[in-house]
Amino acid sequence: MAFKTLLVPLDKSHLNHKVLTTALNIAERFDAQVVTLRIRKEVAALDMEDEDHTRIDLDIIDNETQALVDETVKTLGPGAAGRITADVRSGPVVDTIVAAAEELQADLIVMGTHGRRGVAEFFTGSTTEQVVAKTPVSVMVIKPSGFPYLRD
C-alpha cells in the first residue's frame, strides 16, 4: 500500500512530537504529504472580527501548531519541511477528524492515544477509538511509553 496523504490530528498532548515524527518518517518513505489538524471544539463564528475571541483562539492554535511543526522539522532535517502543512478547524473533534480525512482523501490517519479512561470514555470510547470506528481510513495509533500501566 502506498500513502499519498497522511492526516495527523494533534492536541495539547506530550505525544504530539512522537506522533508527528512517526508520520513524517512514513511520509518520507512513501513520498507523501502530511497534514496536521488542530481542532477548536467550539464551532467558530462565521463573523470573525478582532473583538471576537474565536479568531484569536484559532490564531493561537495555528501558532502553537506551527511551533510544533518547526521543532519537529528541525530534528528530522529540511526535507521534512516540504512535506507538511497545517490545518486548523473548529467543531466536534471526532466528526471534524473524520470529515477532514474524507475531504483530504487521506490514506492514513496517524494519532496518539493517552491510555486514560474517564467516565465519558467508558461509555463512548476515547477519541481515537471513535475515529477508528467512524472512518473508512486506516488509523495508526501511537501510544506513550509505559502505555499499559497508565490507566486510571
Side-chain angles (χ1 to χ4, degrees):
M1 173 181 234
F3 301 114
K4 294 178 185 169
T5 304
L6 284 68
L7 178 64
V8 183
L10 300 172
D11 55 14
K12 290 189 175 190
S13 166
H14 65 281
L15 278 175
N16 282 344
H17 182 71
K18 186 176 181 180
V19 169
L20 190 53
T21 300
T22 300
L24 283 166
N25 283 326
I26 293 168
E28 184 175 359
R29 178 179 169 124
F30 289 95
D31 195 27
Q33 292 296 309
V34 172
V35 179
T36 63
L37 177 64
R38 288 288 304 272
I39 301 167
R40 183 177 187 272
K41 291 179 186 176
E42 298 81 21
V43 177
L46 295 176
D47 182 13
M48 301 260 191
E49 298 177 3
D50 289 341
E51 294 83 27
D52 184 358
H53 295 292
T54 302
R55 181 72 246 164
I56 294 168
D57 289 346
L58 290 176
D59 286 342
I60 289 170
I61 291 170
D62 191 38
N63 292 339
E64 289 172 352
T65 303
Q66 192 58 52
L68 174 65
V69 167
D70 292 345
E71 174 188 330
T72 305
V73 166
K74 279 182 195 175
T75 62
L76 294 177
R83 298 193 180 284
I84 191 163
T85 57
D87 190 2
V88 179
R89 298 181 184 204
S90 62
V93 175
V94 173
D95 293 339
T96 303
I97 293 169
V98 171
E102 184 177 315
E103 288 171 27
L104 295 167
Q105 298 180 345
D107 303 296
L108 180 67
I109 299 171
V110 182
M111 60 191 303
T113 188
H114 306 287
R116 292 186 293 248
R117 281 281 183 178
V119 174
E121 283 89 8
F122 180 78
F123 291 106
T124 63
S126 70
T127 299
T128 304
E129 289 170 326
Q130 291 178 57
V131 169
V132 168
K134 288 187 171 188
T135 185
V137 177
S138 295
V139 180
M140 175 182 274
V141 179
I142 307 300
K143 298 177 181 182
S145 300
F147 176 80
Y149 308 105
L150 296 177
R151 295 191 185 257
D152 294 346

